[in-house]
Amino acid sequence: MRRVGWILVLAFGVTGCGVNRQEKIRDYAEDGLHLYQCGDYRHARESFEAALVLAPGDVTLQYDLAQCYDRTGRAEKAETLYRDCLQRAPNHADCRHALTVLLVRQGRREEAVRLVQDWLARAPNLSSPYAEDGYLWHDFGDLPRARGRLEQALALNMRDNRALVELGLIYEEMHYPDRAMSLYEQALRYQPYQPDVEQRLGRLRSQGVGSPKPN
């Protein structure tokens, strides 16, 4: 029997509720995350699907499963899961970003803009919509406007990871590597596991970039 078969058999075999069920959900989710981080998206997907059998409607698992479909080229299935996740949790920032990226990648920029603008209108006191709008303006090539949006996000929440990283990318493009390095350091201090950010920070350090000088 293929791996997906026995995983789902085990999932359906869990009866009742309580500790055993929660342990199974946790084990499948942890297995999925480990496999995903190793780049084994197909088997990670099977683990997340098994977890969802036990916890239907769990938005974190839906998002993780959608990421697996996205990574394996099944954009239509990923989009369906992203949208379902956002129906349940409209302010799920990672899910909304993933859907925005998918739409931009498919050339559906007007839809991506509407998605972010609707979020800004509904949640003007959250940092995440401003950070997402900053991402879009950066992608469109308008660095000053992107920078402004990201600074708005950080004014609302100085720990907003997407705003910190995206603003760091912009400062790199604007030839302020010291400022970028400071932002990457902050992002990793608040959210340590970010391989791409670690790589960028390591490259800047290897180039001898130091801390930003006071204005």
Side-chain angles (χ1 to χ4, degrees):
M1 183 183 293
R2 294 185 302 117
R3 185 175 188 273
V4 65
W6 65 259
I7 282 181
L8 291 175
V9 166
L10 286 173
F12 279 113
V14 176
T15 58
C17 57
V19 175
N20 190 43
R21 189 182 194 86
Q22 292 305 313
E23 285 180 351
K24 286 292 185 183
I25 294 168
R26 185 194 63 225
D27 289 346
Y28 288 133
E30 289 179 353
D31 184 52
L33 286 172
H34 172 72
L35 291 166
Y36 184 90
Q37 290 168 0
C38 291
D40 189 350
Y41 305 122
R42 182 171 67 85
H43 287 131
R45 186 188 74 211
E46 293 170 1
S47 292
F48 292 134
E49 286 172 338
L52 272 169
V53 169
L54 300 173
D58 184 296
V59 294
T60 299
L61 291 171
Q62 282 186 320
Y63 165 72
D64 290 336
L65 180 58
Q67 286 275 277
C68 293
Y69 279 113
D70 211 348
R71 292 281 187 169
T72 52
R74 297 183 62 180
E76 185 175 348
K77 179 65 174 178
E79 181 177 346
T80 298
L81 285 165
Y82 288 144
R83 291 189 183 278
D84 189 42
C85 174
L86 291 175
Q87 283 290 320
R88 300 171 187 271
N91 294 322
H92 193 304
D94 288 337
C95 185
R96 197 167 287 271
H97 177 69
L99 180 55
T100 301
V101 171
L102 184 151
L103 294 173
V104 170
R105 188 173 69 236
Q106 293 185 337
R108 298 156 64 187
R109 292 200 168 198
E110 290 185 3
E111 288 183 59
V113 169
R114 285 199 300 273
L115 184 74
V116 176
Q117 292 304 311
D118 288 347
W119 194 19
L120 276 166
R122 287 190 298 100
N125 296 321
L126 294 180
S127 62
S128 298
Y130 295 93
E132 197 62 37
D133 201 38
Y135 159 78
L136 268 185
W137 285 111
H138 184 193
D139 187 74
F140 296 164
D142 191 334
L143 297 189
R145 193 160 183 175
R147 177 182 171 184
R149 277 306 204 196
L150 295 166
E151 288 173 345
Q152 283 181 280
L154 291 173
L156 288 166
N157 178 11
M158 64 180 293
R159 296 190 175 205
D160 188 297
N161 187 73
R162 194 165 317 285
L164 288 167
V165 174
E166 198 68 30
L167 190 55
L169 296 174
I170 288 173
Y171 275 134
E172 280 202 72
E173 289 187 40
M174 296 173 68
H175 307 293
Y176 293 116
D178 53 343
R179 298 184 187 181
M181 189 172 80
S182 178
L183 288 162
Y184 295 151
E185 288 173 340
Q186 290 181 62
L188 289 170
R189 188 158 57 246
Y190 300 138
Q191 188 172 316
Y193 183 76
Q194 298 188 74
D196 291 345
V197 179
E198 290 175 0
Q199 185 177 15
R200 285 185 171 276
L201 183 59
R203 176 176 50 77
L204 291 175
R205 285 174 174 166
S206 71
Q207 294 172 354
V209 176
S211 300
K213 297 180 177 64
N215 291 330

